[in-house]
């Protein structure tokens, strides 16, 4: 069987190269356990795009072989001798990510940032979702351009709103402009947002990453010491499967994971009080237990959250005493506790 697998792998091209993955030398050990094939992938470059392609092309090639039930790819990233630098002026960098888009990652980032700022911390919010920068809309700063720092012409000033310092590519390019970002450009933008923005002293910098396992995650982990990743998921199985991949990616990048926030956990009818578990129930907590990371809290579905996001007035500002604003504040408290004990 192994020979057949190697033969099939010999036909899979390494993305962007004319050689097969075998010739490129990225195939490590291959093991078979009751029809499940595990293949070690020894990446020589941090190329998220290549990884994403190989995650599809290798399993689909190997699954053609008779008797193969499933294919597991174990991805090894190249070793970096250098530890990422600790940014001296920022105490904690927290990165929110999710497996899927639309699970409320930006909503959580925004409300966590505001909650932390209300506790008295100095907070920054970096929108690293280059493809879908919706922090400006959610924070009500759409259309406000960023300015050069008059004290240091090499730096840009973040926009301050609701006590949070914000930077987003959305404040720099025209709205609805179609921008094609290739990996190296994303790296540049994230590097600049970390290093060329006048953050001054910050207790927390919340980084809203794009969903999935891509260049933004890779760049952030290399450019700065991230204190903790926060995984945002909804309770249903498909979202959790993807959340598991996002978690694995953080582990590979050696980013400690602070915990899981379950969003859209349930809906309580404001008229009759009936609780509906629209996206199933308890999945986030079970996931957290399975991978042994803290469960940071659950946020229900609430019209005020959606309206607050659309109108640029997050619920943590517009209705701080609501159940949902308190849920965000509780999650922020859990994060502080976890970091203290780390
Ligand atoms: N708990 C919630 N209740 C109601 N609407 C929500 C909730 N969380 C997010 N939303 C809405 O769902 C949409 C997607 O959320 P968003 O934060 O943009 O997701 P992501 O950043 O993961 O793509 C937004 O319109 C947002 O206002
Ligand atoms: Mg988003």
């Amino acid at each position: 069987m192994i020979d057949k697998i190697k033969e099939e792998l010999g036909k899979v091209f390494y993305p962007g190269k004319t050689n097969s993955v075998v010739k490129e030398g990225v195939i490590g050990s291959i093991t078979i356990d009751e029809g499940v094939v595990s293949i070690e992938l020894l990446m020589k470059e941090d190329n998220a795009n290549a990884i994403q392609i190989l995650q599809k092309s290798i399993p689909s090639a190997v699954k053609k072989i008779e008797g193969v039930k499933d294919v597991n790819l174990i991805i090894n990233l190249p070793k970096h001798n250098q530890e990422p630098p600790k940014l001296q002026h920022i105490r904690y960098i927290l990165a929110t990510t999710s497996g899927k888009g639309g699970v409320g990652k930006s909503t959580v980032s925004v409300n966590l940032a505001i909650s932390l700022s209300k506790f008295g911390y100095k907070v920054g919010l970096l929108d690293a979702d280059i493809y879908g920068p919706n922090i400006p809309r959610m924070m009500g700063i759409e259309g406000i351009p960023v300015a050069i720092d008059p004290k240091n012409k090499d730096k840009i000033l973040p926009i301050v709103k609701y006590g949070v310092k914000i930077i987003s590519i959305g404040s720099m390019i025209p709205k609805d402009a179609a921008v094609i970002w290739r990996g190296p450009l994303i790296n540049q933008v994230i590097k600049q947002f970390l290093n060329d923005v006048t953050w001054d002293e910050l207790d927390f910098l919340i980084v809203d990453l794009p969903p999935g396992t891509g260049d933004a995650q890779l760049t952030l982990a290399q450019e700065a010491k991230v204190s903790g990743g926060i995984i945002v998921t909804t309770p249903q199985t498909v979202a959790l499967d993807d959340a598991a991949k996002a978690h694995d990616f953080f582990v590979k990048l050696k980013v400690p994971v602070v915990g899981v926030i379950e969003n859209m956990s349930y809906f309580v009818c404001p008229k009759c009080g009936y609780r509906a578990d629209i996206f199933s129930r308890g999945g986030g907590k079970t996931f957290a237990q399975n991978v042994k990371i803290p469960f940071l809290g659950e946020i229900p579905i609430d019209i005020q959250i959606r309206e607050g996001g659309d109108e640029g007035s997050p619920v943590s500002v517009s209705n701080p005493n609501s159940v949902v604003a308190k849920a965000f504040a509780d999650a922020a408290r859990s994060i502080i506790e976890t970091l203290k004990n780390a």
Side-chain angles (χ1 to χ4, degrees), residues 32-87:
I32 309 167
D33 185 16
E34 295 185 7
V36 179
V37 178
S38 298
I39 301 171
E40 204 184 6
L41 196 61
L42 309 169
M43 292 300 290
K44 293 175 182 164
E45 50 172 359
D46 288 318
N47 183 337
N49 193 28
I51 294 173
Q52 273 162 12
I53 294 171
L54 292 172
Q55 273 172 326
K56 291 205 182 94
S57 60
I58 291 183
S60 82
V62 175
K63 273 185 194 160
K64 278 190 222 143
I65 301 166
E66 216 185 289
V68 172
K69 288 198 200 116
D70 208 355
V71 178
N72 252 335
L73 266 194
I74 304 152
I75 299 162
N76 281 317
L77 293 172
K79 294 236 179 333
H80 292 280
N81 298 328
Q82 283 164 317
E83 283 264 305
K86 163 101 184 76
L87 303 188

Side-chain angles (χ1 to χ4, degrees), residues 98 101-107 109 127 129 132-135 138 208-211:
S98 64
V103 297
K105 188 173 40 61
S106 301
T107 304
S109 304
D127 186 358
D129 196 342
N134 34 38
I135 296 292
M138 288 185 172
D208 183 21
L209 286 167

